[in-house]
Amino acid sequence: MYRHLFLLFMAGLTAGFAVSTASAQTTLAPVKAAASAPATVERQEWELRRQRFLQTIQLLKDNDVIARRDFERQVRAFERRPFSLTPLEAMDYIGAVFVPQAGVEKLLPLIAAQAALGLYDVDRFGSTLSEAHLVQVEGFLRLPLTMVGPEQAEKSRAFLRDHPERAAQLVRDGLELANGERIGTAYDARWVRALGRCAPEIAATCPQPRDLPATEWDDVWAKVKQRVTLYYRVEPKGAPAPGAPASVPR
C-alpha cells in the first residue's frame, strides 16, 4: 500500500516537470562525473548507464537538443520505476533532479529507502573495498543532499536540523518502503562488486566479496536500518549526530 501511494506521489511530483536550458545550466551544472573503474576492467551495464546519465546532464549546459530529450526520457523512466536502477544510480537522479526541484522533505522517504538498499547490498555481497568506495569515494549517503553544491547541501541539512521529528518519520517511511523492495529487486543486488575493484593483475591480493547466506539477511537489515536512521538525524542544537551529513558539498 505504501509503495503504491509513493509511486502516485512521484507521478504527481513530475507530472508537469520540465527543465529549461537555463535551469539546467544553473541547477544541474555542478554535478560531478562518475568515478572511474581501473582502465583494464570492463565496466558493467549499470556503470555505463550511470555514466551516460551524468554525461547527459553535463551536455545540457551546452543547450544540446538531443541531450535534453535523453534527459527527459531518463527522468520519466526513473519516475515510473524508481527502484529499477541500482541505488547509486537512483541517488544521482534524486540529487541532480528531484531534490533541487522539490526539496529534501518530499524526497527523504525515497532517499532513506535507496540508502538502505545500497548498504544492504554492499553488506551482503560487496567487499570491504566496495563499501569504502560506495560510502567514502561516492559519498553515497550524502549524495542526494549535496550533489548540486553547497547551497542545496545547507538547505537539506537545515531541514534535518530544524525538523527532527518530521525527518525521523520520513526516514521511517522510507525504511518501510525499502523493506518491501529488498527481496527480489529489479536490479542485480551484486552490482556493488563493481565498486572498489582491483585491476586483474593484482586481483588475487584484493579483499574478496562477501556472499552472505539468506539466513543472515534479516540481521544485516536490522543494522542497516539503524545506520540509515542515525545518518539522517541532525540534532536541533549542537553538532550533527555521528555520521550525519555535513553542511559542505562533496
Side-chain angles (χ1 to χ4, degrees), residues 118-131:
L119 295 179
Y120 186 57
D121 293 342
V122 82
D123 283 351
R124 291 181 299 155
F125 302 120
S127 67
T128 53
L129 284 179
S130 302
E131 182 175 4

Side-chain angles (χ1 to χ4, degrees), residues 179-218:
N179 188 51
E181 296 287 339
R182 68 185 176 103
I183 305 299
T185 55
Y187 61 87
D188 182 359
R190 290 171 174 77
W191 66 276
V192 291
R193 293 182 176 178
L195 300 174
R197 290 174 298 190
C198 296
E201 57 269 22
I202 60 172
T205 63
C206 284
Q208 295 301 302
R210 295 176 282 259
D211 198 352
L212 293 185
T215 54
E216 298 182 30
W217 290 1
D218 285 345

Side-chain angles (χ1 to χ4, degrees), residues 3-11 74-94 98 107 109-111 113-115 117 177 181 186-187:
R3 182 176 188 274
H4 174 67
L5 293 176
F6 182 81
L7 293 179
L8 287 177
F9 157 74
M10 286 289 289
Q74 290 166 335
V75 168
R76 280 171 168 71
F78 176 74
E79 172 197 356
R80 290 191 297 270
R81 300 184 63 203
F83 294 99
S84 63
L85 303 178
T86 65
L88 183 54
E89 292 174 271
M91 290 298 214
D92 286 337
Y93 278 85
I94 298 166
F98 291 91
L107 274 302
L110 184 57
I111 291 171
Q114 297 290 0
L117 291 172
L177 179 65
E181 296 287 339
Y187 61 87

